Amino acid sequence: MSEYDTVSADVQHEEEIPEDHPRYQDLITRHRIENGVEKGITHLQGMHAEGRGSAFDYLLGEETIPSADAAERAAAAHLLLAEQPVLSINGNVAALVPGEMVDLADAVDADLEVNLFNRTPERIEAIAEHLREHGAEGVKGLTADARIPNLDHQRAKVDADGIYAADVVVVPLEDGDRAEALQEMEKTEIVIDLNPLSRSPQVAEIPIVDNIIRAVPNMTAHAEELATASEAELRAIIEEFDREHALEAAEERIRNGV
Ligand SMILES: Nc1ncnc2c1ncn2[C@@H]1O[C@H](COP(=O)(O)OP(=O)(O)OP(=O)(O)O)[C@@H](O)[C@H]1O
Ligand SMILES: CC(C)(COP(=O)(O)O)[C@@H](O)C(=O)O
Ligand code: BAL
């Protein structure tokens, strides 16, 4: 029996959730994680991670705060300027925003790479297939012929022509150790994480403190709007972005509601 067999098969479908429920988006999110576990793409621990994120989102007011929108615009600018951008996909990301990640990859000409903390061949293949079902053409992460230096564990496994070679990497819902190790490789790291105190946003050049469900479509919208911007304009957007302010503004909203 696999760990997934212990999860109830009685998973509600999204369309059964009343749209006028005041916490509709949070309910949808929970159900997507539950469905991800059922399908073998999300690890059971993904539910704990979702619970942590959900608590922070509640305190943020379940909205994209202005500093997060600025971070999402700066992230789009970085991705458009990148030579080899890669979007990292774990089991939670695959369950929550598969089509949206494919759209972002298309908008900025990035690769998608499956990169897991709880790595198994079955989950890697199931996630790659799930992304393909949502329109992805080439999915990286299956070759795993390179290692992130100074990082023990399965989570160090990456593709030599993917995350290993990337100049800009989007790492949503990332663990702090891997975020730090990628930072040491001198990559421009864009982290999406609802906890501004988590180690990952703390080390990222662009910390996005927002729910991935809102952040990714907003990054794509910014990228589409900036598609014809000059290099100087994109660099100015990046220059203007203040990462310390973004982290402080998110913490202030969570602690004091302002
Ligand atoms: N839907 C979501 N959107 C954005 N962030 C989320 C979402 N769901 C969960 N998170 C965040 O993703 C992170 C996943 O946890 P993870 O174990 O990878 O990091 P951690 O151990 O909490 O922190 P650290 O980065 O210090 O290791 C948590 O910080 C959680 O708040
Ligand atoms: C559950 C997860 C957020 C992702 O795990 P995976 O899909 O295996 O990369 C993990 O990093 C954790 O915090 O426990
Ligand atoms: N994400 C798995 C546990 C951690 O290192 O945060």
Side-chain angles (χ1 to χ4, degrees):
M1 188 164 103
S2 86
E3 64 193 277
Y4 304 113
D5 296 332
T6 61
V7 176
S8 161
D10 185 22
V11 174
Q12 244 186 322
H13 294 290
E14 264 186 43
E15 52 275 18
E16 292 170 41
I17 300 167
E19 277 185 46
D20 60 353
H21 191 286
R23 307 212 48 244
Y24 175 75
Q25 197 190 52
D26 189 65
L27 291 175
I28 288 282
T29 305
R30 280 190 243 167
H31 282 282
R32 285 194 190 164
I33 293 291
E34 206 177 339
N35 279 317
V37 173
E38 284 281 312
K39 283 188 185 161
I41 61 178
T42 306
H43 194 274
L44 263 181
Q45 289 182 15
M47 289 209 178
H48 290 269
E50 175 55 34
R52 292 202 291 287
S54 173
F56 285 108
D57 205 16
Y58 198 101
L59 296 171
L60 274 171
E62 294 176 343
E63 63 177 12
T64 301
I65 62 174
S67 55
D69 181 59
E72 286 152 15
R73 193 167 175 80
H78 263 302
L79 287 166
L80 288 168
L81 284 170
E83 279 181 17
Q84 206 174 330
V86 177
L87 316 182
S88 181
I89 309 282
N90 68 13
N92 283 49
V93 176
L96 294 176
V97 283
E100 291 84 349
M101 288 304 266
V102 172
D103 290 345
L104 177 60
D106 285 346
V108 299
D109 199 14
D111 282 325
L112 295 163
E113 178 163 339
V114 185
N115 184 231
L116 301 182
F117 184 76
N118 311 283
R119 188 184 178 97
T120 63
E122 292 78 18
R123 282 189 63 226
I124 294 272
E125 190 40 64
I127 292 171
E129 184 51 30
H130 186 63
L131 291 171
R132 287 184 212 112
E133 282 166 13
H134 284 83
E137 281 172 12
V139 179
K140 294 193 187 290
L142 288 85
T143 320
D145 50 351
R147 297 286 176 274
I148 302 171
N150 306 315
L151 188 67
D152 288 338
H153 198 257
Q154 297 278 338
R155 63 193 162 159
K157 292 186 173 175
V158 287
D159 278 15
D161 64 352
I163 288 177
Y164 191 84
D167 54 347
V168 178
V169 212
V170 177
V171 277
L173 283 66
E174 183 59 271
D175 71 86
D177 286 350
R178 184 164 42 195
E180 279 171 22
L182 286 169
Q183 197 64 34
E184 279 167 26
M185 290 176 83
E186 301 198 339
K187 298 182 186 304
T188 297
E189 211 172 349
I190 297 164
V191 163
I192 305 170
D193 194 316
L194 278 159
N195 177 4
L197 300 175
S198 187
R199 287 171 302 152
S200 332
Q202 290 285 335
V203 298
E205 195 160 326
I206 308 285
I208 298 176
V209 183
D210 198 5
N211 196 317
I212 192 169
I213 284 200
R214 297 186 297 268
V216 174
N218 197 33
M219 286 162 77
T220 305
H222 279 300
E224 285 169 350
E225 193 212 314
L226 293 171
T228 55
S230 67
E231 185 175 333
E233 283 173 278
L234 296 175
R235 292 211 183 279
I237 289 167
I238 291 169
E239 197 64 32
E240 232 174 77
F241 175 68
D242 181 343
R243 67 177 297 286
E244 304 303 328
H245 168 73
L247 289 168
E248 282 163 19
E251 194 178 335
E252 178 68 10
R253 168 64 79 97
I254 287 167
R255 285 188 192 278
N256 301 317
V258 288

